[in-house]
Amino acid sequence: MPAWIQRWRQQRTLRRRPIPEPSWQLTLARFPFLTRRSEGDLLELRNMATLFLAQKEFAGMRGLEVTDEMAVAIAAQACLPALKLGLDWLDGFVGVVVHEDAVVARREVEDEDGIVHAFDEELAGEAMQGGPVMLAWRDVDEAGESAAEGYNVVVHEFAHVIDMRGGLTAGLDDVDPQSRRGIWLGSLADEFERFARQVDRNRPTFLDPYAAESLEEFFAVAAEAFFVAPLDLARHQKRVYPLLRDAFRQDPAATWRPDATA
Ligand SMILES: [Zn+2]
């Protein structure tokens, strides 16, 4: 579709189907970390969330009804990582599947001796290449409180969506992108190794130890803190913060406003 038609359609959606004011205000009140950015960014977030709602299909599982309020809460948080990259970065999927609570998935891993071990994994969310994004409403609902621990399931899954579409270095653009991307990835890998060693030694970490699973998980877990507790991330992972600032083209710690609702 030509860019001008796309822009025209988006303007029409923003005009005809904006997120209603009460619904937006309720979302901001319930998830105060959203409000701690500039007025301009908040307006941009609201517009992007409006377009997100027009493009995506929400489905509740096992009789769960996804209300408008729930959809707005998910859309606003999903758009945070894409805010300065553009909504195109979230176009790798259409469906958002919402469960009432965490989903138990049966996993199997094969060890070095070829023995298969089966175990259950509790999932609060999951993003698959080309597939729907799955979220547990209970975790989304608690995002206002869990922000203090740097936890946010929606940001986590949508960081994966961005990663799956364009790689971790999505936001980097430079005259010499190849070498800059290489340096960026090398730096993140170093921080991931350092973190994994801390977890191995049972040292306390600000980020969830789950981040030690893989480089992709490290990126997604750090992204959660980056958007909901950026000052803590900058303090506890001071070399990771600037990497995410470059990847997402945002600097939330620099503009973090006092909690207006506190
Ligand atoms: Zn993950």
Side-chain angles (χ1 to χ4, degrees), residues 156 160 210 217:
H156 182 103
H160 279 316
Y210 177 69
E217 292 306 331

Side-chain angles (χ1 to χ4, degrees), residues 194-210 236-237:
R194 199 192 311 270
F195 182 83
R197 282 197 299 274
Q198 277 182 307
V199 171
D200 270 350
R201 292 176 193 144
N202 289 317
R203 298 253 174 87
T205 53
F206 170 65
L207 294 179
D208 189 324
Y210 177 69
H236 295 287
Q237 296 281 337

Side-chain angles (χ1 to χ4, degrees), residues 65-130:
E65 190 204 343
V66 181
T67 62
D68 288 350
E69 185 192 310
M70 289 162 75
V72 171
I74 291 169
Q77 296 176 70
C79 289
L80 267 184
L83 193 61
K84 301 294 174 183
L85 300 173
L87 196 55
D88 290 357
W89 285 88
L90 304 184
D91 68 5
F93 76 101
V94 173
V96 180
V97 172
V98 188
H99 290 262
E100 180 87 52
D101 212 330
V103 173
V104 177
R106 194 81 180 144
R107 302 288 198 210
E108 288 186 346
V109 286
E110 196 178 321
D111 67 18
E112 298 105 61
D113 304 320
I115 299 165
V116 175
H117 302 267
F119 62 98
D120 289 333
E121 190 181 11
E122 255 206 11
L123 299 174
E126 192 170 39
M128 283 158 289
Q129 188 81 49

